[in-house]
Amino acid sequence: MVKQVRKQAAEIIGFHLGWDINDVKDGVYQPSTYYSPRVYVCGEDYYCSPTAAQKLSKDFKWKEVGEHYGRKVYCATLESRKLD
């Protein structure tokens, strides 16, 4: 029997962008605030790949940009960031 390995969000986002997982992990955005799901800064955009149990942060205007390994990848631009 083949054991299925669960992918982490940084790995899924890296696959989507064609980046190395460590490059994505280096761009973690405010780790104490955006822990679940974790948000990553890649270039000038924000990315996340939540599990089915996680909800997207309402601080961003998310747009679905892909799906890999059974999880959706969402992107938000700097301009769509909701500032208080």
Side-chain angles (χ1 to χ4, degrees):
M1 180 162 80
V2 177
K3 184 178 180 182
Q4 187 174 12
V5 178
R6 204 172 93 181
K7 304 287 184 187
Q8 296 179 353
E11 187 174 2
I12 294 168
I13 293 166
F15 181 82
H16 176 76
L17 296 173
W19 289 17
D20 183 71
I21 185 174
N22 291 323
D23 292 336
V24 177
K25 282 184 175 180
D26 286 344
V28 68
Y29 180 70
Q30 295 185 5
S32 61
T33 304
Y34 299 103
Y35 179 74
S36 181
R38 189 150 299 207
V39 175
Y40 299 91
V41 178
C42 301
E44 294 185 4
D45 297 328
Y46 302 90
Y47 287 87
C48 74
S49 182
T51 64
Q54 295 172 326
K55 295 184 181 184
L56 292 171
S57 168
K58 294 182 181 182
D59 292 344
F60 300 89
K61 186 175 180 184
W62 295 106
K63 170 176 81 166
E64 185 180 332
V65 293
E67 184 173 342
H68 307 284
Y69 304 105
R71 284 173 61 178
K72 295 179 181 177
V73 177
Y74 293 91
C75 178
T77 61
L78 181 61
E79 293 81 30
S80 72
R81 172 102 163 81
K82 297 176 184 174
L83 301 173
D84 293 335

